[in-house]
Amino acid sequence: MMQLKIKNCNNIENGEFDITEGRLNIKYAINGTGKSTISKAIEAFVTNDQEKKNLLLPFKYYGVEEENSPELIGYDQFKKVSVFINFLPFVFLSM
């Protein structure tokens, strides 16, 4: 199991969560807690998609992006990700 840290992504200022490599990771919680944001952040950072990373920036930081850019720490060992968002976000990661 690996711990990832997320910062300045949509409604998440700081957070930590565990991911198991090579398994389907299902995160469930009430609406508005950041499940989809976590999935989108993992996908954006693993695929190094700058446009998707920019979309994660919280509105309150528009204009001061450099100081408050979205961050995901601990993802760098992943080579591939599949994200499925339907009713619950599902994330599959592989090294």
Side-chain angles (χ1 to χ4, degrees):
M1 192 166 313
M2 306 166 75
Q3 187 175 71
L4 300 177
K5 297 179 182 182
I6 189 169
K7 183 177 178 184
N8 296 330
C9 292
N10 290 339
N11 64 327
I12 302 173
E13 286 193 32
N14 284 298
E16 297 178 1
F17 56 95
D18 295 323
I19 291 287
T20 302
E21 185 266 324
R23 298 220 174 164
L24 187 62
N25 288 267
I26 300 172
K27 302 300 179 192
Y28 58 95
I30 61 172
N31 291 343
T33 57
K35 301 176 301 294
S36 294
T37 295
I38 290 170
S39 297
K40 290 174 183 178
I42 291 171
E43 180 181 31
F45 280 86
V46 170
T47 61
N48 197 27
D49 188 326
Q50 190 59 46
E51 185 175 326
K52 288 182 180 179
K53 289 179 191 178
N54 292 342
L55 292 173
L56 293 167
L57 183 70
F59 182 74
K60 66 183 178 182
Y61 294 135
Y62 281 26
V64 289
E65 294 90 0
E66 297 81 29
E67 300 168 17
N68 302 292
S69 61
E71 294 180 48
L72 185 66
I73 300 165
Y75 74 92
D76 45 330
Q77 63 270 25
F78 296 118
K79 305 273 188 276
K80 184 178 173 185
V81 62
S82 298
V83 175
F84 311 95
I85 300 176
N86 193 0
F87 294 106
L88 295 173
F90 301 97
V91 179
F92 182 83
L93 295 163
S94 60
M95 297 174 140

